Amino acid sequence: MKIRFHLDENVSNTIADGLRRRGIDVSTTPEQGLIAAADEEQLAFAYSQQRVIFTQDRDFLILHSAGSKHAGIAYCIKGSRSVGDIIRGLVLIWEVLSADEIEGKIEFL
């Protein structure tokens, strides 16, 4: 099964648009009415929808270490990559991994 992404609230809509132009299924925190929701809620939503969450928030790494269930986390340190680099990285993950292969794992951009 192909990966579907969920972008947390601190991720630019430009990234969602870039992924969608490439035919990738993406949801975003604002579109889902999850602005200001706790990180645990964000992760639970993404898991319930079997979506890999893309975030630049280190708290998600802590949730992973604590054993929280998730469909996968794609993580990049805020400000370390351009929008184009992030899109290319997420497209690569989408092209190379299946949803089953990334479940419960973190991919670093």
Side-chain angles (χ1 to χ4, degrees):
M1 186 166 101
K2 290 305 273 183
I3 289 174
R4 301 180 314 145
F5 287 105
H6 178 74
L7 309 184
D8 87 355
E9 66 187 81
N10 297 313
V11 177
S12 166
N13 279 335
T14 307
I15 294 170
D17 294 342
L19 294 172
R20 288 175 176 148
R21 279 197 301 277
R22 289 158 178 83
I24 298 173
D25 186 331
V26 177
S27 68
T28 68
T29 291
E31 292 167 355
Q32 299 302 316
L34 294 169
I35 291 287
D39 294 339
E40 293 85 355
E41 285 180 70
Q42 301 274 354
L43 204 58
F45 168 80
Y47 184 67
S48 76
Q49 301 289 309
Q50 285 300 290
R51 291 183 178 275
V52 172
I53 193 162
F54 171 65
T55 185
Q56 296 177 308
D57 181 346
R58 291 188 59 222
D59 292 342
F60 286 90
L61 304 181
I62 295 166
L63 292 172
H64 168 78
S65 295
S68 295
K69 286 189 170 213
H70 58 84
I73 297 170
Y75 175 78
C76 160
I77 297 170
K78 191 161 188 69
S80 69
R81 302 275 182 271
S82 69
V83 168
D85 285 343
I86 291 170
I87 292 170
R88 281 187 290 281
L90 293 173
V91 168
L92 181 62
I93 289 169
W94 182 80
E95 289 174 339
V96 172
L97 298 174
S98 70
D100 290 340
E101 290 172 319
I102 196 170
E103 185 168 348
K105 297 183 176 73
I106 299 174
E107 287 293 324
F108 293 89
L109 299 177

